[in-house]
Amino acid sequence: MSAIAADAGARRQRAWLRGLLAGPVVFLAAALVMCGAALWLPKGAAQIDNIVLPIVLFPAIWAALFFYAMLDRKLWRAWLITLLLAAANGAAIAQFVLAQPAAAKQGAPT
Amino acid sequence: MIRLSQARNKALLAIHGWSGALLGLLLYAVILTGTVSVFSHEIGDWSAPLEQAPQHALPHRIDAALRNAAQQIDPKYLESLFFFSDIGGRVRAFFHADEKDASGRPVDRGVGLRIHPQTLQVLERYEGESDAIKAQEQHGALAEFFVDLHVRLHLPNPWGLLLTGVLGLAMMVAAMTGFIVHRHLIRELFTLRRRRDALLTARDTHVVAGTWNLLFAFVLAFTGSFFSFGTAFGVPAIAMVAFGGDQERLIDTVVGGKRAEDARPAAFANLDDMLADARRRSGSEIGFVSVAHWGRADATVTMTPLPPAGRFAARNYSYDGASGAFLHEKPTLGLQPSLGSDLFDLMGPLHFGSFGGLLSKAVWFALGFAATYVALTGMLLWTARRAGDSRAWRRYETTVYWMGYGLPLALAWAPLGYFGAMALGADTHAGTNTAFLAAVAVATVLCGVLRERLALRRVLLALTGLALLLTPLLRGLAGGPGWGLAFDAGLRAVIALDSALLIGGVWCLRGARPSRTTQQFDGPRASPA
Amino acid sequence: MNTLLWPSLYALLASLAPLLLLALRDPKRLRAQGLARAAAHSRRARALLGVLALLPGLLLLAWRDWHGLLIWGGALPCLGWALTMWLSAARHTLR
C-alpha cells in the first residue's frame, strides 16, 4: 500500500517537473534562443536575417522545444538539453553585452 | 497516421485536451473575433460610408491638402507623417513626433486628419497621442472594436498582445497534437456518425471539423503568434540584447534606408509628382506613404504600392523629399532581397487573407468559421465527458455555453450600440462598448436563469438572430444610405453586409428551433446543468 | 473579380469532382451510415481519386500561382467539411 502511494507521489512529482519544464522553462529557453540567434545567425545579403528570422520563427522555436520537453521519455535528459540550450545562448548574449562597453571605448561599431 | 506508444498517445491527448480546456474559452474569443475581423475594412466602409464608393488607393492629388495642413500645425509634428486610404476611402494622415510620456513609455503625439478622397477637404482634425486620437474618432469605432478585441482582447499593451500570443501557441499545440493522436485521419475524413451515442457524434463532429481545418489552424496560429509576440516581446527582447535597448535603432536597421541627418530647412517637393513616379515604376496604385523630416534637407518619402496582382508584397520606393528625386527601391525590410524580408512579407497575407480581394477574404472567413466551430465543439466534447463527474465541471460546461453562444450575441449587439449612438449623436465608442457589455450581461443572466442547456442555446441563438436582422434597419435609421442610393454610388459593402446580416439572422433563428439533431449535438444529456 | 484568380476557381471545380466521389463511396462512412450494400471504393481507387483531387493544387504550385494555390488550399478543406456534414445528415450513396 505504501509502495503504491509512494509510486503515485513520484509520478505526481514527475508530472509537476514535466509541466514546469514544458511551461515557463521552455518559454524562457525559447526566448534566449531567439535573442541568442540574433548574434550567431548569418546576417544574409541584406544584413538583417539574423534579427528578422528569430522573431518570425519564434513560434517554431518554442513549439520544437515544447514538444521535445513533453515527449522525451527521460525527463532528466529533457531538462539537461533545454537548460544547455538556454545556457549556451545566454552565455553568448552575456558575452556580447559585456563586450559592448569595451568595444565602445575602442571606437568599434556595435 | 503516426504510430506512438499508448503512453505517448495518452500524454499528447492530455496536452490536447487540457490546453483546450484551460485556454479554450479565450482562444474561441480570439478566433471568432478574428473571423469577423477578416472583413474589418468592409465593416468600416459599411458602418461609415462616404457618398462615393471607397478606393483602396490614395488620391492622385493630395499634395495641396497636406501642404496646407503642414503649414497650420506645430512644426515639431513635422518629424514624421504617414497617410493611407482608410475607412470609407477617407485619407488618414498623422503628422507626429516620437515622444515619451510621464512614465517613459514611447508615444506618438501629433495631429491626425481625415481628408475626403474626392474633395480633399479636411473632414476631421484631432490633436494628441495616437491612442487618444483613435478614441475620439467616431466613424471607425465599430471596425476598431472588433479588431482590438481580436488583437489584444481589449487589454492594455503589452499584456493583451502577450496573452493572444500565448493563445496562438496553444492553438498550434492543439493542432499539432490533434494531428499526431488521431490515428485514422484520412480513413475518417468523411465519417460523422449521427445515429448512435451522442458523445460519439460530438467526438466525430469535433474531429471531422478539426481534420479538415488542420493545416489552416496551424498557419493561423503560427502567424498570429508572430504578430502578437513580434511587437510585444520579440522586438524589445532583441533590442535589449543587440541594440542596448534602443528599439528605434533596431527598427531603422531592419527597415533600412535611413539617411544621414541634415536639419537645414528646405522646401518640400511636390508629393503628387512623387506619387505619379512611384505608380509608373511599380505599375500599381500607392497604398501607404511615410514622410520623415518634412521641410528639412534630409526629408525622405517612402511609398508602398498596393501589391501587384499575384504577389504578396510590393517593393518600396524612396524619394528625396526636398528635391523629389528618386533614391532607390527596396524590399519591405532591408535594402536587398532577403529570406527574412520574404518571410515577413508572407505573414500578413497568410494571416489576414486579404491578398486576393473579396474571394480570398471569403475563403479565410469560412476557414475562421470552421476553426471557431472546432474550438467550440472541442470544449463541448471535453465538458460533456466530464460534466457528470463534479459540480465544477458542470459549471465549466455552463461557462462554455455562455462564451460559445453569448459571445456571438454580444458581437451582434455591438453594431446596434454603434448605430444607436450615431443616431443619438452620442459617442460611438461608448455606444458600441455599452451594447456589447449589455449583451454579455444578458447572456450571464440567462445562464443563471435557464438551467437547461438546449433552452439556453436556443434563446441565445434567437436573440443573436434578432439582433442581426435589426441591424440593417438601425443603420438606415442612423442616417446610413438605403440600398438604392448605395447601389447608385457603388457602395457594395453596404448592400453586401446588410444581406449577410439578414441571411445570418435567418440562419440563427432557424438554428434556434428545437430539433432532434440539436439534441444529439449538444451531448448525451438534455438535463439541466 | 481579379482575373488572375480564375485559375483557383477552375482548380477548385476540378478537385470537387474526385472529392465528391471519394465522399460518396467512402467505406467507413458507408459502414457508419448502414449503407454497406453500396460498393465502396477500393484502396487503389481511393488513392487515385485522392491524387486527382490534389492534382489541381500541384499544377497551381508548378505555375507558381501562389494566390491561386492559397485560395484553392483554403477553399477545398471548407468544401470537404461542408460535404461531410451534408452527407452525414442524410442517407447518400451511389448505387
Side-chain angles (χ1 to χ4, degrees):
Chain A
M1 198 68 162
S2 61
I4 294 169
D7 188 42
R11 265 190 274 121
R12 219 175 300 128
Q13 191 185 44
R14 278 176 63 84
W16 272 104
L17 284 171
R18 182 81 71 172
L20 181 66
L21 173 65
V25 174
V26 154
F27 193 90
L28 183 63
L32 286 169
V33 169
M34 178 188 70
C35 295
L39 305 175
W40 49 259
L41 265 183
K43 289 187 174 183
Q47 303 289 295
I48 58 164
D49 283 351
N50 61 316
I51 300 168
V52 177
L53 288 178
I55 296 177
V56 169
L57 295 176
F58 174 76
I61 297 169
W62 176 87
L65 285 173
F66 175 81
F67 279 104
Y68 170 67
M70 288 305 298
L71 295 177
D72 192 341
R73 279 200 186 90
K74 296 192 169 106
L75 185 56
W76 67 265
R77 186 171 58 192
W79 269 97
L80 181 65
I81 289 181
T82 306
L83 289 176
L84 276 175
L85 263 174
N89 283 279
I93 292 165
Q95 189 187 30
F96 179 82
V97 169
L98 289 170
Q100 290 312 294
K105 272 186 197 164
Q106 291 172 12
T110 52
Chain B
M1 279 282 295
I2 296 175
R3 295 237 173 117
L4 291 176
S5 68
Q6 201 182 24
R8 291 281 195 93
N9 224 49
K10 214 172 156 185
L12 285 172
L13 192 59
I15 296 170
H16 182 87
W18 281 105
S19 64
L22 292 173
L23 298 170
L25 290 173
L26 289 177
L27 187 57
Y28 171 82
V30 171
I31 300 172
L32 179 58
T33 50
T35 305
V36 172
S37 298
V38 168
F39 289 110
S40 61
H41 229 88
E42 285 74 17
I43 290 172
D45 293 345
W46 164 78
S47 60
L50 289 173
E51 316 80 28
Q52 299 284 337
Q55 303 295 324
H56 294 299
L58 286 166
H60 291 192
R61 299 256 166 254
I62 193 79
D63 180 87
L66 290 173
R67 194 176 291 277
N68 193 39
Q71 284 163 0
Q72 293 175 29
I73 64 172
D74 190 328
K76 71 178 177 184
Y77 295 144
L78 297 177
E79 182 185 316
S80 293
L81 162 68
F82 63 73
F83 58 96
F84 57 96
S85 180
D86 198 26
I87 289 170
R90 298 167 180 81
V91 176
R92 176 193 285 254
F94 187 39
F95 290 90
H96 62 282
D98 300 325
E99 296 182 357
K100 284 193 168 54
D101 66 7
S103 62
R105 186 178 60 100
V107 291
D108 290 336
R109 193 189 307 277
V111 173
L113 305 171
R114 303 296 170 263
I115 300 171
H116 194 287
Q118 275 90 40
T119 66
L120 301 174
Q121 255 188 310
V122 174
L123 298 171
E124 294 150 62
R125 186 187 191 282
Y126 306 97
E127 191 160 340
E129 284 180 33
S130 56
D131 284 346
I133 287 175
K134 264 194 197 172
Q136 291 173 61
E137 289 178 313
Q138 295 298 294
H139 54 258
L142 186 62
E144 207 178 285
F145 176 83
F146 291 135
V147 172
D148 208 47
L149 191 56
H150 170 66
V151 168
R152 52 194 182 115
L153 294 168
H154 280 298
L155 294 171
N157 286 335
W159 310 111
L161 286 173
L162 290 173
L163 179 56
T164 52
V166 167
L167 293 172
L169 295 179
M171 188 172 170
M172 240 172 44
V173 165
M176 290 168 73
T177 50
F179 170 72
I180 296 170
V181 303
H182 189 193
R183 290 188 186 176
H184 306 296
L185 209 70
I186 304 296
R187 212 184 296 178
E188 294 184 349
L189 206 52
F190 298 101
T191 306
L192 204 171
R193 292 160 286 198
R194 289 192 193 268
R195 299 185 310 158
R196 289 164 58 187
D197 178 46
L199 202 54
L200 187 64
T201 305
R203 178 254 178 208
D204 282 355
T205 305
H206 174 68
V207 166
V208 160
T211 305
W212 283 106
N213 200 245
L214 202 55
L215 185 59
F216 175 74
F218 180 82
V219 167
L220 216 62
F222 189 100
T223 53
S225 288
F226 158 71
F227 280 119
S228 288
F229 279 130
T231 42
F233 173 65
V235 166
I238 291 189
M240 191 67 66
V241 165
F243 291 87
D246 191 343
Q247 291 185 44
E248 205 178 310
R249 196 154 66 91
L250 179 152
I251 291 169
D252 288 340
T253 304
V254 164
V255 172
K258 191 171 182 181
R259 296 164 72 194
E261 294 233 348
D262 185 352
R264 289 176 297 152
F268 193 74
N270 191 293
L271 265 171
D272 296 337
D273 294 340
M274 287 184 258
L275 279 166
D277 188 70
R279 279 197 306 274
R280 186 183 56 76
R281 288 177 188 270
S282 64
S284 186
E285 290 293 333
I286 307 303
F288 185 90
V289 179
S290 68
V291 179
H293 304 152
W294 178 299
R296 281 170 40 160
D298 60 349
T300 312
V301 181
T302 307
M303 310 232 172
T304 306
L306 297 173
R311 302 277 306 275
F312 290 118
R315 289 175 71 80
N316 292 350
Y317 296 85
S318 290
Y319 294 82
D320 182 318
S323 65
F326 173 72
L327 292 174
H328 56 253
E329 69 175 82
K330 61 185 275 312
T332 310
L333 301 179
L335 292 172
Q336 291 181 48
S338 66
L339 177 61
S341 187
D342 289 344
L343 277 182
F344 179 81
D345 283 341
L346 268 183
M347 294 287 121
L350 285 177
H351 192 77
F352 306 127
S354 52
F355 54 89
L358 281 174
L359 179 59
S360 60
K361 284 187 181 183
V363 172
W364 253 240
F365 181 87
L367 287 166
F369 178 81
T372 312
Y373 189 86
V374 173
L376 181 59
T377 51
M379 287 188 290
L380 288 173
L381 175 64
W382 190 260
T383 51
R385 280 181 172 151
R386 286 162 182 78
D389 294 351
S390 71
R391 207 170 160 194
W393 278 116
R394 285 197 292 279
R395 280 207 183 121
Y396 184 73
E397 188 183 38
T398 306
T399 310
V400 171
Y401 273 80
W402 171 78
M403 178 66 92
Y405 298 101
L407 180 59
L409 172 68
L411 293 176
W413 277 33
L416 295 177
Y418 171 83
F419 289 120
M422 195 180 268
L424 296 170
D427 178 39
T428 52
H429 292 275
T432 308
N433 293 342
T434 304
F436 179 84
L437 291 172
V440 169
V442 164
T444 308
V445 167
L446 285 170
C447 281
V449 165
L450 292 170
R451 311 297 285 171
E452 211 264 321
R453 285 176 290 115
L454 290 180
L456 175 64
R457 178 179 177 275
R458 285 202 300 269
V459 170
L460 289 173
L461 265 181
L463 288 174
T464 306
L466 282 172
L468 293 175
L469 290 173
L470 277 174
T471 302
L473 179 65
L474 195 53
R475 183 188 65 73
L477 289 172
W483 282 17
L485 197 62
F487 184 81
D488 290 340
L491 297 169
R492 293 180 301 178
V494 170
I495 301 171
L497 260 76
D498 274 357
S499 305
L501 289 172
L502 293 172
I503 293 169
V506 168
W507 188 62
C508 284
L509 287 176
R510 282 196 66 193
R513 291 182 316 179
S515 73
R516 195 169 60 87
T517 316
T518 312
Q519 208 147 349
Q520 280 183 331
F521 167 77
D522 269 321
R525 301 172 295 114
S527 54
Chain C
M1 193 178 76
N2 186 347
T3 51
L4 289 175
L5 297 173
W6 283 109
S8 61
L9 292 179
Y10 297 143
L12 211 48
L13 280 170
S15 292
L16 206 51
L19 190 71
L20 189 61
L21 287 173
L22 269 172
L24 286 172
R25 288 200 177 170
D26 181 72
K28 179 111 195 224
R29 183 188 77 82
L30 292 175
R31 211 164 45 244
Q33 289 188 262
L35 299 169
R37 281 177 298 156
H41 284 306
S42 67
R43 203 167 175 171
R44 193 178 274 186
R46 289 205 314 275
L48 179 63
L49 285 170
V51 167
L52 287 175
L54 294 175
L55 191 59
L58 294 172
L59 289 174
L60 289 170
L61 182 66
W63 277 326
R64 294 181 167 215
D65 183 356
W66 309 121
H67 287 193
L69 180 65
L70 281 178
I71 289 172
W72 171 86
L76 193 64
C78 291
L79 291 174
W81 178 48
L83 188 60
T84 306
M85 297 289 277
W86 176 62
L87 288 173
S88 73
R91 296 166 75 89
H92 292 277
T93 186
L94 280 178
R95 294 198 187 276

